[in-house]
């Protein structure tokens, strides 16, 4: 499915009126009557308590149970997290339509999922669509877990959960989200937040609540220090045990407030709060960062008092973060150790007697990597087939360790996301959603791929027929007066620059090497080993080499090298030599990004060296999904006299191609400086591997080759994106896994 999305700045909307109904809600203290414009309450089987309260799901021992066919049955929760954006939009803009939701719900259900999780309130259309979908599939509905977003930025800034403004904001968010789920909210237009008239009662399809977001450990520790006298809470429905900390008491109050708000609607659903490994309850002696093991938020320190639907623990657990997952394996001298399974086993044992779920896990299908993990489960560097294999393995592990649920992160790719090792170069920040940087792994966790505009038009397969079908305004000829090259065409989309190279002979990488330099800015290398003794009148920022599979790559001029400039020149973690700093050094470095920074005491517990990964190497293959050899990370291919290649924008030095912004040569200060450009010059030549001679850079007088006279490849900036939506092979892998697990829990673990 192909989409053309024009980004609209924040806007809200009102739903259409749907007739008046009278809703009766039962609470412990009596009846509440609300006259609302709402759809009729969906009929769904539930257990009715003595006071009239309805319960569809509850916790029992270490499982979550569903009331079905007149009895309670254990259920393994298997599903996906669902985001609130599509390409070209940021969180808070909520562009997803009813058609999108209805289509996605069908695909998610067909995958074998029984639950989706949303980590914030969506627009009214989400709840309307879910109710509409489930009415059509009343015999097997799709349930959801509603996350309630805490004031994350304020918590990190103030480091005090008891701050009056934070408490008020969070309680307001909780109340609004509960009302939205039950179709009882009119939210005025508010920039960055979902709004509108919530009239669809999705409460009967709710599986549970997840309160809050991943907790900042310094905030937790400081809250505990500031409020040592507030280590207990007893509410109407939830309270704390004698071992609770002040932060856990605060959290119990928020969970209790959510329960109070829901009880007014005559329903109870299982409660939880969001947690992650950084604030888990276990000790991690091999973790080098103090903050990753400085504070704990313990789910066993909260307890339901009068909440029949029960309570469960919820964790985000990825196999590559924090670093102890990796160092635990190395410490045992076994880099093949399954530290993920070992961690899950220990965490499960701690929470014995109560259900525990992993509500976020998974790996992305990105070319870029930001964390390395045992068993190849790194954060990035996987094609879509590999992504599916790893996601399926993790799901099986979670299930086999006796967890109550596994909810994969995530359903759709999200272009607005950022990653620590590429964000200093993605500038301006408020345009990240307009292009797809495949080096930023956070953007490509989805099972539903969101591909850039030419994905379905140009396939890396060595066949030029797709290039011939491109419209004239979709491609340009590149000046290439090089012996052996018949012509070069260029195209681009939101993710790549594409080159189609026609030779006058069949390409033989054992005998020749195609070199294409790029010039975007004044400066760079005018000479170098790769130019085989020739010189240029204007320098190159990057250099594309096409030869054997091992040597095909993009390299970067040493004084433009972004890793060396930031982590060498600025932070001193790696060596940037005096020669590399100089303009026209003649050196082209491998294009690398860090995966682990240099760590030394006293800032960390242990010393660890700086580590990086090569992101400039280009993988040969085909990105055609119809091919048995499909490789989503294939960047080039050749057949006979035709070569085609696609180059991620960042490898060419672009900070934001949508606004024609490039990273400048200035040394960075945390982030890089940028400059506007008006295009890219491509400078091709061919090197004979036997003689070492270069063809294509000769001049009549033997002087410098006039790069400055070459026409630039130009494009217009964009504020609208075109993207293609397609299920990845990882979807099929998860479908097989979910159907094999069959929503049946394995209590007790291994």
């Amino acid at each position: 499915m192909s989409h053309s999305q024009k980004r609209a700045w924040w806007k809200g909307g009102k739903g259409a009126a749907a007739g008046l109904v009278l809703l009766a809600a039962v609470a412990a203290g009596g009846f509440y009557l609300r006259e609302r414009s709402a759809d009729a309450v969906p009929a769904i089987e539930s257990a009715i308590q003595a006071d009239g309260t309805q319960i569809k799901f509850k916790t029992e021992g270490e499982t979550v149970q569903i009331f079905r066919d007149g009895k309670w049955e254990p259920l393994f929760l298997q599903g996906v997290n669902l985001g609130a954006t599509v390409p070209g939009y940021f969180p808070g803009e909520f562009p997803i339509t009813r058609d999108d939701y209805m289509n996605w719900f069908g695909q998610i259900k067909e995958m074998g999922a029984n639950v989706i999780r949303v980590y914030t309130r969506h627009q009214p259309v989400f709840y309307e669509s879910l109710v509409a979908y489930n009415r059509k599939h009343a015999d097997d509905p799709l349930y959801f877990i509603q996350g309630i977003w805490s004031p994350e930025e304020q918590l990190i800034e103030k480091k005090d959960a008891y701050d009056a403004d934070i408490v008020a904001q969070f309680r307001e968010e909780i109340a609004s989200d509960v009302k939205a789920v039950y179709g009882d909210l009119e939210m005025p237009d508010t920039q960055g937040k979902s709004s509108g008239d919530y009239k669809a009662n999705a409460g009967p399809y709710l599986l549970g609540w997840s309160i809050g977001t991943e907790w900042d450990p310094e905030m937790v520790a400081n809250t505990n220090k500031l409020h040592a006298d507030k280590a207990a809470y007893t509410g109407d429905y939830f309270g704390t045990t004698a071992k609770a900390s002040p932060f856990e008491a605060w959290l119990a109050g928020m969970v209790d407030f959510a329960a109070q708000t829901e009880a007014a609607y005559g329903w109870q659903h299982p409660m939880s709060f969001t947690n992650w490994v950084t604030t888990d309850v276990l000790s991690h002696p091999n973790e080098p960062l103090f903050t990753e093991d400085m504070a704990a938020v313990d789910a066993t320190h909260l307890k339901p008092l009068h909440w029949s639907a029960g309570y469960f623990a919820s964790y985000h657990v990825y196999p590559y973060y924090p670093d102890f997952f990796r160092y635990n394996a190395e410490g045992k001298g076994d880099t093949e150790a399954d530290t993920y399974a070992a961690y899950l086993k220990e965490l499960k044992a701690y929470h014995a007697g109560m259900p525990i779920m992993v509500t976020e896990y998974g790996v992305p299908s990105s070319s870029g990597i930001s964390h390395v993990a045992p068993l190849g489960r790194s954060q990035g560097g996987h094609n879509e087939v590999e992504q599916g294999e790893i996601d399926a393995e993790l799901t099986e592990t979670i299930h086999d360790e006796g967890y109550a649920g596994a909810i994969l992160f995530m359903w759709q790719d999200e272009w607005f996301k950022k990653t620590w090792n590429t964000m200093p170069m993605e500038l301006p920040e408020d345009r990240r959603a307009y292009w797809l940087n495949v080096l930023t792994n956070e953007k490509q966790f989805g099972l539903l791929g969101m591909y850039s505009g030419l994905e379905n038009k140009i396939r890396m397969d060595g066949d030029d027929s797709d290039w011939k079908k491109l419209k004239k305004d979709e491609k340009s000829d590149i000046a290439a007066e090089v012996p052996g090259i018949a012509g070069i065409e260029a195209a681009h989309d939101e993710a790549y620059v594409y080159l189609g190279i026609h030779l006058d002979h069949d390409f033989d990488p054992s005998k020749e090497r195609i070199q294409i330099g790029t010039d975007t800015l004044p400066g760079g290398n005018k000479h170098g080993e790769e130019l085989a003794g020739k010189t240029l009148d204007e320098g190159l920022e990057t250099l594309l080499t096409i030869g054997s599979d091992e040597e095909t790559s993009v390299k970067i001029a040493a004084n433009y090298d972004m890793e060396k400039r930031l982590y060498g020149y600025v932070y001193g973690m790696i060596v940037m030599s005096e020669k590399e700093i100089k303009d026209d050094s003649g050196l082209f470095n491998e294009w690398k990004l860090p995966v682990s920074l240099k760590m030394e005491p006293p800032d960390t517990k242990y010393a660890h060296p700086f580590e990086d990964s090569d992101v400039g190497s280009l993988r040969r293959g085909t990105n055609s999904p119809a091919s048995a050899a499909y490789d989503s990370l294939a960047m080039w291919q050749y057949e006979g006299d035709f070569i085609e290649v696609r180059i991620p924008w960042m490898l060419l030095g672009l900070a934001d191609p949508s606004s024609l912004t490039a990273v400048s040569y200035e040394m960075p200060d945390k982030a890089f400086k940028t400059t506007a450009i008006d295009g890219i010059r491509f400078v091709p030549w061919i090197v004979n591997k036997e003689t070492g001679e270069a063809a294509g850079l000769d001049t009549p007088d033997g002087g410098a080759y006039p790069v400055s006279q070459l026409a630039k490849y130009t494009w217009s900036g964009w504020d609208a994106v075109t993207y293609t939506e397609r299920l990845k092979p990882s979807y099929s892998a998860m479908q097989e896994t979910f159907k094999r697990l069959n929503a049946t829990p394995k209590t007790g673990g291994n």
Side-chain angles (χ1 to χ4, degrees):
M1 183 182 297
S2 183
H3 305 261
S4 183
Q5 285 282 357
K6 182 172 178 58
R7 175 186 183 269
W9 184 238
W10 158 81
K11 61 180 181 179
K14 294 286 186 182
L20 294 176
V21 300
L22 193 64
L23 297 182
V26 184
F31 291 84
Y32 290 81
L33 299 181
R34 289 177 173 81
E35 190 176 88
R36 291 281 294 127
S37 296
D39 296 328
V41 177
I44 190 167
E45 183 184 20
S46 62
I48 310 298
Q49 305 302 291
D51 64 358
T53 300
Q54 296 185 72
I55 300 179
K56 178 66 179 179
F57 295 94
K58 71 173 184 177
T59 62
E60 185 71 32
E62 297 184 352
T63 66
V64 172
Q65 299 199 344
I66 182 173
F67 190 75
R68 188 163 49 193
D69 299 327
K71 62 181 184 298
W72 289 103
E73 300 175 355
L75 184 72
F76 181 73
L77 306 184
Q78 50 192 50
V80 291
N81 286 267
L82 181 71
T85 66
V86 293
Y89 291 86
F90 288 88
E93 294 183 310
F94 302 100
I96 303 173
T97 67
R98 179 186 175 95
D99 287 345
D100 289 328
Y101 281 126
M102 295 297 280
N103 186 43
W104 294 353
F105 293 156
Q107 292 171 324
I108 291 169
K109 204 71 177 73
E110 180 61 27
M111 183 175 64
N114 52 29
V115 64
I116 54 176
R117 175 176 176 257
V118 293
Y119 32 87
T120 190
R121 183 178 70 250
H122 282 222
Q123 289 288 83
V125 65
F126 166 75
Y127 304 96
E128 294 163 3
S129 302
L130 186 63
V131 169
Y133 175 85
N134 283 335
R135 281 177 172 163
K136 292 181 179 179
H137 303 85
D139 57 332
D140 189 20
L142 180 63
Y143 299 102
F144 74 108
I145 292 175
Q146 177 68 54
I148 301 179
W149 197 264
S150 54
E152 188 176 38
E153 292 183 2
Q154 293 91 329
L155 283 166
I156 292 173
E157 178 187 351
K158 296 184 177 180
K159 292 181 171 50
D160 180 6
Y162 284 92
D163 176 86
D165 289 340
I166 290 174
V167 170
Q169 284 184 52
F170 199 10
R171 287 172 66 93
E172 181 181 358
E173 189 72 13
I174 291 169
S176 296
D177 286 11
V178 174
K179 291 176 181 179
V181 165
Y182 285 97
D184 188 27
L185 177 68
E186 290 185 68
M187 178 61 68
D189 295 350
T190 305
Q191 183 173 323
K193 287 193 174 185
S194 57
S195 59
D197 200 354
Y198 292 79
K199 297 178 293 187
N201 184 359
Y205 303 116
L206 183 67
L207 193 148
W209 300 96
S210 184
I211 311 298
T213 46
E214 296 173 341
W215 309 112
D216 176 66
E218 294 184 75
M219 178 276 296
V220 173
N222 196 57
T223 296
N224 290 336
K225 179 181 178 181
L226 291 175
H227 302 281
D229 59 334
K230 298 176 182 176
Y233 176 85
T234 301
D236 293 340
Y237 299 102
F238 281 85
T240 55
T241 69
K243 296 181 179 180
S245 69
F247 179 78
E248 291 158 356
W250 174 87
L251 193 50
M254 294 301 173
V255 173
D256 185 58
F257 179 70
Q260 293 174 31
T261 310
E262 182 179 45
Y265 292 94
W267 277 90
Q268 289 188 12
H269 288 92
M271 289 282 176
S272 185
F273 65 83
T274 301
N275 207 354
W276 60 324
V277 178
T278 294
T279 51
D280 69 3
V281 293
L282 305 179
S283 176
H284 308 293
N286 287 331
E287 171 55 49
L289 298 179
F290 293 109
T291 54
E292 294 297 343
D293 206 21
M294 74 181 299
V297 182
D298 194 331
T300 69
H301 292 172
L302 280 69
K303 62 180 180 180
L305 302 176
H306 307 287
W307 196 252
S308 300
Y311 166 68
F312 63 93
S314 169
Y315 278 88
H316 298 172
V317 188
Y318 294 91
Y320 45 75
Y321 186 83
D323 283 329
F324 73 79
F325 280 110
R326 177 184 178 190
Y327 298 138
N328 280 358
E330 294 177 354
K332 297 174 183 176
D334 181 6
T335 56
E336 297 303 306
D338 192 344
T339 55
Y340 189 75
Y343 174 82
L344 291 180
K345 184 183 293 292
E346 188 177 0
L347 191 68
K348 176 69 170 59
Y350 185 92
H351 293 82
M354 70 180 298
I356 179 172
M357 298 185 206
V358 179
T359 50
E360 281 191 22
Y361 66 99
V363 298
S365 59
S366 62
S367 63
I369 303 171
S370 63
H371 288 98
V372 175
L375 302 178
R377 296 167 175 170
S378 299
Q379 187 177 3
H382 315 291
N383 64 25
E384 293 166 1
V385 173
E386 295 161 346
Q387 177 198 32
E389 292 171 349
I390 296 171
D391 284 352
E393 287 175 0
L394 299 177
T395 306
E396 295 270 11
T397 300
I398 294 166
H399 176 269
D400 290 349
E401 291 297 336
Y403 281 65
I407 304 179
L408 183 74
F409 188 84
M410 66 171 310
W411 172 242
Q412 80 270 37
D413 287 344
E414 296 181 302
W415 288 13
F416 75 89
K417 287 290 188 68
K418 58 188 177 183
T419 299
W420 70 273
N421 61 356
T422 57
M423 60 188 289
M425 293 86 83
E426 289 180 335
L427 302 168
E429 296 180 7
D430 61 0
R431 298 190 66 85
R432 282 196 182 104
Y434 302 159
W435 62 293
L436 175 59
N437 185 1
V438 297
L439 305 185
T440 299
N441 56 74
E442 284 283 347
K443 298 176 184 289
Q444 294 183 281
F445 271 90
L447 301 178
L448 180 68
M450 300 290 188
Y451 303 94
S452 52
L454 290 181
E455 177 76 17
N456 282 345
K457 292 186 177 182
I458 300 179
R459 300 295 192 195
M460 296 296 106
D461 56 9
D463 183 350
D464 68 350
S465 60
D466 46 6
W467 284 83
K468 293 177 180 177
K469 294 176 184 177
L470 291 179
K471 299 175 184 177
K472 288 185 178 180
D473 62 356
E474 292 181 311
K475 60 183 177 180
S476 300
D477 290 325
I478 299 298
E481 296 181 4
V482 177
I485 296 181
I488 300 177
E489 292 179 303
H492 73 276
D493 64 12
E494 294 83 354
Y496 304 99
V497 172
Y498 300 81
L499 297 176
I501 306 165
H502 286 274
L503 305 180
D504 62 10
H505 58 281
D506 286 353
F507 179 54
D508 186 349
S510 68
K511 296 180 179 179
E512 60 188 336
R513 183 169 60 245
I514 312 295
Q515 304 275 194
I516 301 179
T518 70
D519 170 35
T520 52
L521 301 168
N525 285 336
K526 300 177 183 179
H527 78 290
E529 180 182 347
E530 291 85 355
L531 278 77
K534 306 296 175 63
T535 59
L536 314 174
D537 75 341
E538 178 54 63
L540 304 176
E541 277 67 57
T542 64
L543 177 65
L544 168 66
T545 298
I546 303 173
S548 67
D549 291 357
E550 294 74 22
E551 65 185 332
T552 300
S553 64
V554 176
K555 291 187 176 182
I556 188 165
N559 69 321
Y560 194 55
D561 186 327
M562 296 173 201
E563 181 187 61
K564 287 284 184 83
R565 284 193 283 161
L566 182 58
Y567 299 102
Y569 185 89
V570 176
Y571 291 119
M573 294 186 180
I574 51 177
V575 174
M576 186 177 194
S577 67
E578 287 297 324
K579 183 176 181 180
E580 288 176 302
I581 294 173
K582 293 179 180 178
D583 188 41
D584 192 21
S585 67
L587 299 176
F588 286 99
N589 292 343
E590 292 182 341
W591 224 120
K592 293 183 176 183
L593 285 173
V595 294
S596 181
L597 300 183
K598 185 177 182 180
M599 295 181 280
E600 293 181 323
D603 296 326
T604 60
K605 297 178 188 176
Y606 309 106
H608 287 283
F610 182 94
E611 297 176 77
D612 54 20
S613 66
D614 179 2
V615 295
S617 294
L618 303 181
R619 190 184 301 191
R620 186 164 70 91
T622 178
N623 69 328
S624 173
S627 171
Y630 171 63
D631 184 347
S632 59
L633 299 186
M635 297 296 173
W636 76 289
Q637 188 54 281
Y638 72 93
E639 186 69 40
D641 62 358
F642 182 66
I643 306 167
E644 56 186 338
V645 59
R646 57 179 184 172
I647 310 166
W649 282 108
M650 182 170 279
L651 294 185
L652 297 176
L654 272 293
D656 171 37
S658 72
S659 62
L660 281 81
T661 301
V663 175
S664 77
Y665 274 95
E666 296 176 79
M667 290 301 177
D669 179 11
K670 295 184 180 179
F672 285 82
K673 308 296 190 299
T674 61
T675 187
I677 63 171
D678 55 6
I680 301 174
R681 292 190 182 97
F682 291 97
V683 187
W685 67 94
I686 298 179
V687 175
N688 184 306
K689 288 188 174 182
E690 183 177 346
T691 65
E693 295 180 351
L697 297 177
D698 295 311
T699 59
D701 60 359
Y705 183 80
V707 171
S708 61
Q709 302 305 308
L710 296 178
K712 293 182 178 181
Y713 175 70
T714 62
W715 67 93
S716 300
W718 63 84
D719 292 320
V721 305
T722 299
Y723 67 97
T724 297
E725 183 180 301
R726 187 180 70 243
L727 294 171
K728 301 178 184 178
S730 49
Y731 171 91
S732 299
M734 289 302 297
Q735 184 179 52
E736 292 176 7
T737 299
F738 280 164
K739 291 190 174 180
R740 185 165 57 253
L741 298 180
N742 196 32
T744 303
K746 180 182 178 181
T747 56
N750 292 331

